[in-house]
């Protein structure tokens, strides 16, 4: 057998400043407040940069800049706005390698994923919505739908640049201006994106980036001059946001947690189902809101499938996110690692059986091995709560009706996967599963043309596709 | 997957059919995606050096042309023993593969070098002849000293659903092989679906194949990564079900070191490292060898030599 020698992607191509200010009105400005946060590389705990914590006054400056720019930007013909957005998309493609390295360093995700999944999708979203900018009157929202105004957007740390693209691209295409707050643990690609806006000569104030943690996000969401709030993140924070904007005229979209069922029937293509399960829960270390964290497998093939799954997990390579052969990178933060550990321990305490492949864990950084729990019951915490880590709970079922019942028996409803070679069963399942996305013989596939969003506690509103425009138009 | 004793599976065409169609399906999109993902593994430095030598040791150096002459076969045998005359550290290839009438020439030329002689028999490449002719073809090659027989299956019978006929032909040829190893060529390019590839793989293994091989090299597409992936999954599952280990040989169209390494990664991560051995994995290729040699020399010296520095045989 041959061991794969390390194949690290070079860090030389990126340039991280020791400290960053805020990006307001097309300029880098020093924050008015004193607060600073450090962003670290989760794979090594090395401090990458210091970032500003925007105070309420900073947020106000950013919103005012966006308000001023709105008059210019919304009055511009759609075809003119499209030029800017297309330009941004092309610059992202040109700088893809640099952005992928930066994303992997700051987030801990494997370079294979940031390079092959995140960045191509980021560019695709900008290209897709650039195409809509001059066709809004044909989108099915009336003859001349108007933008909303200033959008306050708060995004999570799991797909920093991709979530930025999901938020900013449709907002700009519709004629809105934006104040975006990236997560405090992963701000670097958003700050690089600010540079890209300058490179694209985007009019000042159209995109503003303020960094900081929950306080900053709260200030942005509450700001009276914000017309639209878009949030992706935890259900808990989503509830707070819904409360804080209730009764105001603000439009809101929330994309929150999930506890998706990945349902494997006995007639499924088992080898591909195994790949789909791995991709469903171990992609991005399980830091995916639509992750297939509950595997529902038909009892008749449960033994065989689990054996195949365990064998497959033994080939997963955990380690340096910048190594091109790494499949599983680092957990994003110490806090997140603690939460994954707590829930996994609860799984064991409740009587589920825990299994992980033998896999060496690096000494420094935040790591959690891929983990499977078998013998899980619907009432276990690990079957109900979102873990947001590489932890899979396995449940079994006997009939399609039972599969639907169990899959829907969750407070969430973001996504589901169905594995069967039988088309009629697939369609029967798809019409009964209460989830925003139902994947057929695949999992975690994204496309800018396809709307994404949840049922129940997974939030409301849709991002992507024609439907994604609605959230940024006065309709 | 059934755990019924495999002997009973071949009792009749209907039991064979029931068994083969009871195997889990293969999703083409998923299989293609998995093969493509494994193709992005980055193999560098020591791992690459190791992989190149392993790949050389796995090559079946092949000439299967109507215009083959004893002279050409002798020249190829010399190359098989010492692929790079300027560098004695280069290992010999696994085998040479020739038509039956050239087996005796190859056996003599290879002498005690340890390089095996494989021969394509059974009305290669179409397989369209009677069982008697196929058995006789095999017996001729074995009598002349071939230690490996590459047989083609009757794709017509397979596609018509006459699995028992294919089974019986493979079993008869296996019997005619005596101690020689039997490699069964599925000609996956003509089977067209991955489901058929998986069924044909199992059929061949149940009937006694020692190796399953993708292609004759005469049909396009020949070996592809996803097809080899499906076959590797089949041998892995067959070992678990039947307790017997079977080898895999992709053949045709593998020309570059980069391609060869992709196949090794596929083996490593699908069937497992136990298959990373010339006894269990072969590459049916000829033009591949010079590229392997060129890359090997590049790794040793840091420079590429021109193609004229490597022999053409």
């Amino acid at each position: 057998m041959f061991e794969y020698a390390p194949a690290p992607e070079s860090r030389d191509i990126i340039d991280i400043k020791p400290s960053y200010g805020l990006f307001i009105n097309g300029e880098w400005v020093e924050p008015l407040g004193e607060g600073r946060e450090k962003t670290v590389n989760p794979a090594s705990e090395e401090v990458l940069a210091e970032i500003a914590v925007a105070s309420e006054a900073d947020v106000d400056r950013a919103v005012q800049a966006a308000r001023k720019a709105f008059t210019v930007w919304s009055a511009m013909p759609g075809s003119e706005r499209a030029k800017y957005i297309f330009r941004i998309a092309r610059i992202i493609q040109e700088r893809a390698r640099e952005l992928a390295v930066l994303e992997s360093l700051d987030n801990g995700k494997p370079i294979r994923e940031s390079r092959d999944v995140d960045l191509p999708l980021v560019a695709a979203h900008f290209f897709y919505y650039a195409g809509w900018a001059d066709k809004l009157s044909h989108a099915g929202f009336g003859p001349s739908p108007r933008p909303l105004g200033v959008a306050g957007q708060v995004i999570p740390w799991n797909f920093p640049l991709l979530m930025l693209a999901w938020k900013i691209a449709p907002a700009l295409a519709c004629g809105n201006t934006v104040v975006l707050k990236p997560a405090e643990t992963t701000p670097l690609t958003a700050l690089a994106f600010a540079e890209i806006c300058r490179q694209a000569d985007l009019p000042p104030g159209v995109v503003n980036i303020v960094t900081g943690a929950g306080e900053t996000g709260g200030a942005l969401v509450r700001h009276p001059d914000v017309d639209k709030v878009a949030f992706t993140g935890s259900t808990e924070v989503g509830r707070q946001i819904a409360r804080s904007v209730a009764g105001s005229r603000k439009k809101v979209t929330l994309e929150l947690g999930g506890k998706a069922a990945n349902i494997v029937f006995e007639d499924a293509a088992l080898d591909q189902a195994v790949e789909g399960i791995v991709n469903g829960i171990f992609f991005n270390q399980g830091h995916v809101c639509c992750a297939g964290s509950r595997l529902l497998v038909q009892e008749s093939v449960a033994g065989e499938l689990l054996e195949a799954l365990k064998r497959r997990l033994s080939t997963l390579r955990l380690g340096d996110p910048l190594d091109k052969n790494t499949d599983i990178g680092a957990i994003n933060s110490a806090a997140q690692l603690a939460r994954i550990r707590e829930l996994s321990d609860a799984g064991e305490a409740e009587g589920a059986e825990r299994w992980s492949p033998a896999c060496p864990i690096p000494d420094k950084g935040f790591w959690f091995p891929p983990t499977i729990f078998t013998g899980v019951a619907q009432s276990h915490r690990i079957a109900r709560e979102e873990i947001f880590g590489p932890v899979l709970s396995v449940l079994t079922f006997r009939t399609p009706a039972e599969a639907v019942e169990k899959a829907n028996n969750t407070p969430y409803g973001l996504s589901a996967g169905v594995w069967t070679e039988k088309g009629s069963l697939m369609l029967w399942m798809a019409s009964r599963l209460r989830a925003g996305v139902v994947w057929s013989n695949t999992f975690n596939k994204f496309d800018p043309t396809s709307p994404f969003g949840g049922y129940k506690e997974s939030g409301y509103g849709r991002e992507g596709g024609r439907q994604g425009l609605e959230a940024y138009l006065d309709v | 997957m059934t755990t019924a004793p495999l002997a009973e599976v071949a009792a009749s065409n209907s039991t064979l059919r029931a068994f083969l169609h009871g195997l889990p399906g293969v999703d083409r999109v998923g299989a293609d995606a998995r093969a493509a993902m494994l193709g992005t593994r980055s193999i560098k430095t020591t791992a690459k050096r190791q992989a190149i030598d392993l790949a050389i040791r796995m090559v079946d150096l092949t000439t299967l042309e109507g215009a083959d002459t004893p002279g050409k076969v002798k020249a190829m045998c010399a190359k098989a023993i010492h692929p790079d005359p300027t560098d004695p550290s280069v290992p010999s290839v696994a085998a040479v593969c020739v038509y039956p009438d050239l087996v005796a020439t190859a056996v003599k030329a290879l002498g005690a070098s340890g390089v095996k002689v494989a021969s394509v028999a059974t009305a290669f490449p179409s397989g369209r002849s009677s069982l008697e002719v196929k058995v006789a073809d095999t017996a001729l090659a074995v009598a002349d000293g071939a230690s490996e027989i590459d047989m083609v299956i009757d794709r017509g019978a397979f596609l018509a659903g006459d699995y028992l006929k294919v089974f019986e032909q493979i079993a008869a040829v296996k019997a005619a092989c005596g101690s020689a190893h039997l490699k069964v060529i599925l000609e996956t390019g003509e089977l067209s679906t991955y489901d058929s590839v998986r069924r044909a793989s199992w059929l061949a293994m149940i009937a006694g194949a020692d190796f399953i091989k993708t292609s004759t090299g005469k049909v396009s597409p020949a070996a592809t990564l996803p097809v080899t992936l499906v076959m590797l999954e089949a041998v892995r599952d067959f070992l678990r079900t039947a307790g017997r280990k079977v080898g895999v040989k992709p053949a045709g169209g593998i020309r570059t070191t980069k391609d060869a390494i992709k196949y090794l990664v596929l083996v490593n991560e699908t069937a497992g490292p136990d298959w990373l051995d010339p006894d269990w994995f072969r590459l049916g290729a000829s033009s591949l060898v010079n590229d392997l040699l060129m890359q090997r020399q590049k790794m040793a010296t840091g420079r590429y030599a021109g193609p004229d520095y490597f022999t053409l045989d």
Side-chain angles (χ1 to χ4, degrees), chain A residues 267 420-429:
Chain A
D267 69 330
T420 172
E421 290 283 279
K422 202 171 167 70
S424 56
L425 177 60
M426 177 67 75
L427 293 172
W428 188 89
M429 291 292 292

Side-chain angles (χ1 to χ4, degrees), chain A residues 52-307:
Chain A
V53 173
S55 63
E56 202 152 348
D58 291 315
V59 169
D60 184 55
R61 279 200 291 170
V63 174
Q64 294 316 328
R67 172 59 57 199
K68 214 172 116 223
F70 178 66
T71 17
V72 180
W73 185 248
S74 62
M76 207 181 264
S79 54
E80 280 300 305
R81 286 201 305 273
K83 284 185 194 169
Y84 286 102
I85 307 171
F86 274 125
R87 203 180 293 158
I88 289 172
R90 287 194 303 269
I91 297 172
I92 287 170
Q93 284 186 321
E94 282 160 17
R95 295 177 62 173
R97 187 152 158 246
E98 170 197 346
L99 292 167
V101 172
L102 200 55
E103 193 82 311
S104 284
L105 267 182
D106 203 16
N107 169 280
K109 65 172 66 195
I111 186 79
R112 183 166 70 74
E113 291 176 5
S114 51
R115 177 195 66 193
D116 297 347
V117 182
D118 292 36
L119 261 300
L121 274 172
V122 169
H125 269 85
F126 278 100
F127 277 119
Y128 175 74
Y129 279 111
W132 269 118
D134 61 351
K135 300 173 193 74
L136 296 172
S137 51
H138 306 287
F141 304 117
S144 54
R146 282 169 301 129
L148 294 169
V150 175
Q153 308 178 321
V154 179
I155 57 168
W157 47 261
N158 59 340
F159 290 93
L161 197 54
L162 184 59
M163 292 301 105
L164 174 148
W166 282 25
K167 299 269 182 296
I168 292 186
L172 296 192
C174 294
N176 303 274
T177 54
V178 165
V179 179
L180 177 121
K181 188 201 83 72
E184 67 273 26
T185 60
T186 56
L188 293 183
T189 42
L191 295 167
F193 180 79
E195 281 297 334
I196 289 173
C197 291
R198 280 165 65 118
Q199 211 180 327
D201 274 333
L202 196 68
V206 172
V207 169
N208 304 275
I209 308 234
V210 292
T211 48
E215 295 273 300
T216 308
L220 178 58
V221 167
R222 284 190 308 271
H223 196 288
D225 220 10
V226 163
D227 304 287
K228 148 84 189 179
V229 172
F231 172 75
T232 296
S234 71
T235 296
E236 195 186 310
V237 177
R239 280 202 196 95
Q240 291 171 18
I241 291 176
R243 269 195 291 270
S244 83
V245 299
S248 76
R249 61 184 168 81
K250 289 175 192 171
K251 280 187 76 164
V252 188
T253 47
L254 300 173
E255 202 266 272
L256 311 174
K259 193 71 189 176
N262 206 356
I263 305 162
V264 180
F265 285 97
E266 59 188 358
D267 69 330
L270 289 184
D271 283 310
Q272 283 72 52
V274 166
E275 290 307 317
I277 295 162
V278 168
N279 184 41
I281 183 64
F282 301 116
F283 176 64
N284 200 26
Q285 298 77 250
H287 300 332
V288 185
C289 46
C290 52
S293 52
R294 284 185 300 150
L295 172 62
L296 295 180
V297 51
Q298 198 156 15
E299 259 181 29
S300 51
V301 289
E304 194 184 331
L305 185 76
L306 274 172
E307 191 191 322

Side-chain angles (χ1 to χ4, degrees), chain B residues 171-305:
Chain B
V173 172
K174 169 72 181 167
C177 279
S179 62
H181 270 62
L182 177 63
K183 303 197 197 106
V184 177
I185 303 172
L186 310 178
E187 195 64 293
T188 52
E190 290 185 347
L191 300 183
S192 79
T193 71
Y194 294 170
D195 282 327
S196 290
V197 171
R198 174 167 289 186
R199 284 175 198 143
S201 299
W202 276 83
L203 180 57
M205 292 188 290
I206 297 167
D210 297 299
F211 254 80
I212 48 176
K213 176 174 166 184
T214 59
S215 329
T216 58
K218 308 284 184 196
V219 169
S220 183
T224 65
L225 282 172
V227 154
T228 310
L229 172 76
V230 172
M231 289 166 66
L232 285 164
E233 286 168 355
V235 296
R236 178 195 71 199
D237 294 342
F238 187 75
L239 175 63
R240 193 164 53 90
T241 309
R244 190 164 70 81
K245 195 168 165 186
V246 174
V248 177
K249 177 178 170 185
I254 307 164
R255 294 196 178 85
T256 64
T257 301
K258 208 171 172 177
D259 282 344
I261 290 176
K262 285 182 186 175
Y263 279 95
L264 297 186
V265 168
L266 209 61
V267 175
N268 192 31
E269 299 201 31
T270 307
D274 289 352
W275 264 266
L276 279 178
D277 184 291
D279 283 348
W280 303 110
F281 193 75
R282 293 279 179 84
L283 295 159
S286 284
S287 52
L288 169 65
V289 174
N290 273 6
D291 194 63
L292 287 166
L293 294 175
M294 193 147 37
Q295 293 295 337
R296 196 179 188 279
Q297 208 173 80
K298 156 81 175 23
M299 295 202 78
T301 64
R303 287 178 299 280
Y304 279 112

Side-chain angles (χ1 to χ4, degrees), chain A residues 54 336 345 384 435-436 462:
Chain A
Q336 185 57 28
D345 292 345
R384 308 214 57 84
R462 293 290 180 266

